[in-house]
Amino acid sequence: MADKTGKRVIITAGEQILHFSVTLDDFHRYQNEMSMDNKVTPSKNFLARTVEADDQAVMEQLISEGYALDLAAMVAGEFRPALELSVKK
């Protein structure tokens, strides 16, 4: 898991490589902003907060092509991979 300085997430999108630095605070803010009728804006904000400066233009191009949700889901999923949970009866 990431520490207070964050976790670096590298995503390949077609021929482009994007680098993100995600902290637990970034991740929690993304989750708190998300709602049933508002997913795109929180996704864009999350990506904008975490993308590294050199990759900003590429990320903005991908967002303008409709990939905000896909990118945000991939970055968040890599930051915090799935954990199998169950309730013991």
Side-chain angles (χ1 to χ4, degrees):
M1 188 53 116
D3 61 19
K4 290 185 182 212
T5 60
K7 178 178 181 181
R8 193 163 197 231
V9 176
I10 302 171
I11 302 294
T12 302
E15 299 293 317
Q16 305 293 332
I17 298 175
L18 297 124
H19 302 84
F20 297 86
S21 295
V22 183
T23 66
L24 188 56
D25 286 342
D26 294 324
F27 181 74
H28 285 165
R29 188 170 173 188
Y30 172 55
Q31 288 183 311
N32 288 336
E33 291 173 350
M34 191 72 70
S35 68
M36 292 303 290
D37 61 349
N38 188 17
K39 294 177 181 64
V40 176
T41 299
S43 295
K44 288 179 180 179
N45 292 341
F46 174 62
L47 295 169
R49 281 193 299 268
T50 60
V51 72
E52 294 183 5
D54 291 345
D55 299 327
Q56 181 76 31
V58 171
M59 187 212 50
E60 288 175 1
Q61 178 63 40
L62 290 167
I63 286 174
S64 75
E65 295 172 4
Y67 293 107
L69 289 174
D70 304 281
L71 283 170
M74 186 161 280
V75 172
E78 184 62 27
F79 173 76
R80 193 206 63 179
L83 174 65
E84 185 177 325
L85 300 170
S86 63
V87 175
K88 188 172 182 173
K89 296 191 178 213

